[in-house]
Amino acid sequence: MKWRYKRKFEQGKVAINTARFWGYDKDEYGDLVINQEQAKLVERIFNDYVNGKGSGVIAKEFNNEGIPTLVSGKWHAGTILNMLKNEKYKGDVWLQKTFTVDHLTKKSRVNRGEVDSYYIEGNHPPIVSKELWERAQQMIHFRAEEKGNLGNDREKYQSRYPLTGMLFCSKCGAVLRRRTWNSKLPCRKIVWQCSTYLKEGKQACQGTTIEDKVLGEMNIQSETVVEEVLKDGKKHYRYTSKGK
């Protein structure tokens, strides 16, 4: 049975249960099709979140408006966050996020590399754009850091990442924050991004983004302004002491 599922995943054959999955139904061929009414709610969640509303606030508004969940329960902040993190809303699907440990007890566990996983891009029609989905992921990480959920011990965080609080955006002067892009995928990348852009979007600042490996080649010892410069169509960087 495990072999059969593995072969289906390798061939890109997807089995998705829409009973607990907002925004989609299945057609007669078993393919995902957008449920237009539910899709409006999904779009609202993403837009409200990137425009400043927290997951708890969104959940409270839905409960106050009497919007039912798929299991007839109440909305919670965790429910909203799980939807925001779901790659299916941008048209992709990640297979084998979890795996069954014991087929007799049906006990499952989060897949941390114990079995192969498969990521399929463009599997079905998206409800939100990839840009909006990525923006929501940035906001989730930013807010988690602000609350200390990614490390309550600030001194420990500073010792792990010595450049924290040392880098600044040339466009708005805000501090650059350490981010991990595609943290659970092979294309994982660590970058430093303008905190104004992360928090308020490109309408507030076009932002500055620089890869951690580029900074690793520098010997930055003091507060530094990072400026992006285009030269011959390629991105380069200029570094200036913040005191100058």
Side-chain angles (χ1 to χ4, degrees), residues 40-171:
K40 292 177 184 176
L41 191 71
V42 173
E43 289 180 297
R44 176 180 165 184
I45 289 172
F46 275 86
N47 285 311
D48 282 355
Y49 191 79
V50 300
N51 286 321
K53 289 185 180 180
S55 55
V57 172
I58 297 172
K60 184 177 180 180
E61 288 182 352
F62 284 4
N63 288 328
N64 289 341
E65 294 173 28
I67 298 174
T69 66
L70 291 179
V71 292
S72 301
K74 286 190 174 183
W75 290 91
H76 300 281
T79 309
I80 300 297
L81 283 175
N82 285 337
M83 292 179 69
L84 289 166
K85 294 175 182 177
N86 196 329
E87 78 288 341
K88 297 181 188 68
Y89 292 123
K90 61 173 177 171
D92 299 348
V93 61
W94 185 7
L95 304 174
Q96 205 84 337
K97 285 183 186 178
T98 62
F99 68 101
T100 302
V101 180
D102 188 331
H103 285 278
L104 294 177
T105 63
K106 305 299 182 183
K107 184 179 180 180
S108 62
R109 191 165 68 195
V110 174
N111 182 9
R112 303 189 187 281
E114 291 89 345
V115 298
D116 291 336
S117 62
Y118 306 86
Y119 194 92
I120 303 173
E121 294 186 2
N123 179 73
H124 52 271
I127 291 177
V128 301
S129 67
K130 292 184 183 294
E131 292 75 18
L132 180 58
W133 191 89
E134 291 292 347
R135 179 95 178 91
Q137 308 318 298
Q138 293 173 354
M139 289 291 289
I140 290 170
H141 284 287
F142 178 81
R143 287 172 174 170
E145 282 189 350
E146 288 292 292
K147 293 178 181 178
N149 290 340
L150 297 184
N152 294 319
D153 189 337
R154 294 291 180 181
E155 292 183 1
K156 183 185 293 184
Y157 187 83
Q158 182 71 40
S159 66
R160 287 176 61 197
Y161 310 120
L163 292 177
T164 299
M166 298 277 285
L167 306 171
F168 297 85
C169 175
S170 64
K171 300 181 180 70

Side-chain angles (χ1 to χ4, degrees), residues 176-215:
L176 302 189
R177 294 190 177 276
R178 189 179 189 274
R179 320 241 36 84
T180 302
W181 287 356
N182 303 317
S183 61
K184 297 181 180 180
L185 298 176
C187 53
R188 182 177 183 271
K189 182 187 296 185
I190 296 173
V191 301
W192 295 78
Q193 286 186 288
C194 170
S195 55
T196 300
Y197 172 80
L198 290 172
K199 189 173 184 178
E200 302 177 34
K202 63 181 178 181
Q203 70 274 9
C205 179
Q206 291 297 314
T208 296
T209 301
I210 183 169
E211 291 189 37
D212 188 65
K213 66 179 182 180
V214 174
L215 291 167

Side-chain angles (χ1 to χ4, degrees), residues 16-26 32-33 38 70:
I16 299 174
N17 182 7
T18 57
R20 294 174 177 265
F21 179 36
W22 273 97
Y24 290 95
D25 295 319
K26 286 186 178 180
L32 290 180
V33 292
Q38 292 182 2
L70 291 179

